[in-house]
Amino acid sequence: MTASSIEDLLSWLAARKVEDLVVPGYIDRTLNEERPFLNVWNTSVYVVTDEGALRIEDRRAYGRLRLSTTDGLADAEQDLDEVVLNREYGEEFMPVSLEWQFLADGRDFNTLTRAKYAAGPDSRPERGVVDCIELVFDDCCCLFVAPEWDGLSLGSHGAFARWTDYLHEDPEGLRRVVEWMPSS
């Protein structure tokens, strides 16, 4: 996993074909062996591309998002192994695709066309750490991500404004909103 500045990470993503959005999950067989269920572990989301993935996570970022690039989902499975999975009970890693919810416009792949993020006093955009982020693909599909007390909050169009204007308003003006577009 490689950490970089938000600007570098967004440029990296804009140069690739976005194929899927994936959240780690696992098959849970501990409560009812006859009827296992899928449990989503919402501490990270992966923007999967044709050349790796952008990982957006809230763990270890102290109430902020940390973005980084990675080759795949191996780190997500390792995180679940360390914290949740009980393989003795038959629990197994199971990634969950959210493509149908956030990229469902009929394209084979999407391209990042713009982004917006909020950076407060504890954010470190130069290290890939921000308060929240909105990614817009092909000027139509939108993914909003913010850390909340129980994991990541995911949303679509309008979620960024609701988060910054209402849910986490900044009366002292300490947070700045940065709009990003790929350079031509």
Side-chain angles (χ1 to χ4, degrees), residues 21-34:
L21 299 172
V22 175
V23 177
Y26 62 99
I27 303 296
D28 190 336
R29 292 184 172 88
T30 57
L31 296 178
N32 188 342
E33 291 179 25
E34 295 82 39

Side-chain angles (χ1 to χ4, degrees), residues 24-172:
Y26 62 99
I27 303 296
D28 190 336
R29 292 184 172 88
T30 57
L31 296 178
N32 188 342
E33 291 179 25
E34 295 82 39
R35 302 180 110 195
F37 61 92
L38 176 65
N39 197 346
V40 175
W41 188 251
N42 68 337
T43 60
S44 60
V45 61
Y46 291 75
V47 181
V48 179
T49 76
D50 57 337
E51 298 178 41
L54 177 71
R55 180 180 183 175
I56 305 172
E57 67 175 325
D58 72 341
R59 288 189 55 223
R60 300 179 298 268
Y62 306 104
R64 306 287 176 274
L65 295 176
R66 186 175 79 183
L67 285 71
S68 59
T69 57
T70 184
D71 292 333
L73 299 175
D75 51 350
E77 186 169 4
Q78 180 181 347
D79 286 350
L80 279 170
D81 267 333
E82 291 173 3
V83 179
V84 175
L85 288 183
N86 186 339
R87 296 199 186 258
E88 290 178 22
Y89 287 106
E91 293 180 344
E92 60 186 279
F93 178 70
M94 178 64 63
V96 179
S97 172
L98 300 178
E99 182 268 342
W100 60 272
Q101 187 174 6
F102 295 103
L103 299 176
D105 67 345
R107 300 171 197 253
D108 290 335
F109 64 88
N110 294 83
T111 305
L112 180 69
T113 51
R114 58 192 152 112
K116 187 183 332 183
Y117 62 88
D122 296 324
S123 294
R124 298 291 175 259
E126 70 280 3
R127 294 186 193 150
V129 178
V130 295
D131 289 9
C132 66
I133 193 161
E134 176 184 82
L135 304 173
V136 178
F137 304 97
D138 299 310
D139 292 322
C140 65
C141 300
C142 179
L143 171 68
F144 169 77
V145 185
E148 296 298 337
W149 68 272
D150 60 347
L152 294 181
S153 173
L154 303 179
S156 191
H157 297 283
F160 188 94
R162 279 190 304 279
W163 192 91
T164 56
D165 295 345
Y166 174 69
L167 296 175
H168 295 272
E169 55 184 297
D170 181 25
E172 296 177 23

